[in-house]
């Protein structure tokens, strides 16, 4: 249980975390969103090192500015072993 008082004027753009963790992590994140966000797209490149001879499930996770999260279905990469024809 979290029993805290925070003035609205004290909530900034950086996270304030009110932690109530016990065995499991649990808490509340407070932050202010900007009045206008000009960012509408993102492009990311990653170099991956899949393991040979097995399926390598990859997921994409997106976190929006309001804290909403979404995950992709797994994308399987197979790095084959053996001769290439």
């Amino acid at each position: 249980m979290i029993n805290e008082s925070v003035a609205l004027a004290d909530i900034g753009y950086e996270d304030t975390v009110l932690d109530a963790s016990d065995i499991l992590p649990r808490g509340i994140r407070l932050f202010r969103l900007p009045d206008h966000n000009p960012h509408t797209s993102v492009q990311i490149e990653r170099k991956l090192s899949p393991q040979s001879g097995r399926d390598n499930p990859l997921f994409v996770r997106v976190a929006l500015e309001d804290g909403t999260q979404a995950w992709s279905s797994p994308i399987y990469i197979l790095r084959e072993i053996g001769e290439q024809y």
Side-chain angles (χ1 to χ4, degrees):
M1 180 171 166
I2 297 175
N3 188 7
E4 292 282 335
S5 294
V6 178
L8 287 177
D10 293 340
I11 300 173
Y13 294 114
E14 299 298 320
D15 290 4
T16 298
V17 178
L18 305 176
D19 189 15
S21 298
D22 190 12
I23 296 172
L24 296 174
R26 184 173 47 180
I28 296 174
R29 292 175 46 219
L30 301 173
F31 56 93
R32 183 179 303 273
L33 296 176
D35 292 332
H36 174 70
N37 185 354
H39 307 288
T40 59
S41 66
V42 65
Q43 182 175 340
I44 299 172
E45 291 184 28
R46 293 282 189 257
K47 184 172 182 163
L48 304 174
S49 300
Q51 295 181 9
S52 292
R54 61 172 291 227
D55 285 333
N56 294 271
L58 304 174
F59 298 85
V60 176
R61 183 183 75 178
V62 177
L64 302 178
E65 67 182 359
D66 67 357
T68 305
Q69 295 182 2
W71 289 264
S72 71
S73 296
I75 302 162
Y76 290 95
I77 305 294
L78 175 61
R79 187 172 186 182
E80 296 199 31
I81 302 173
E83 295 179 8
Q84 298 292 321
Y85 296 99

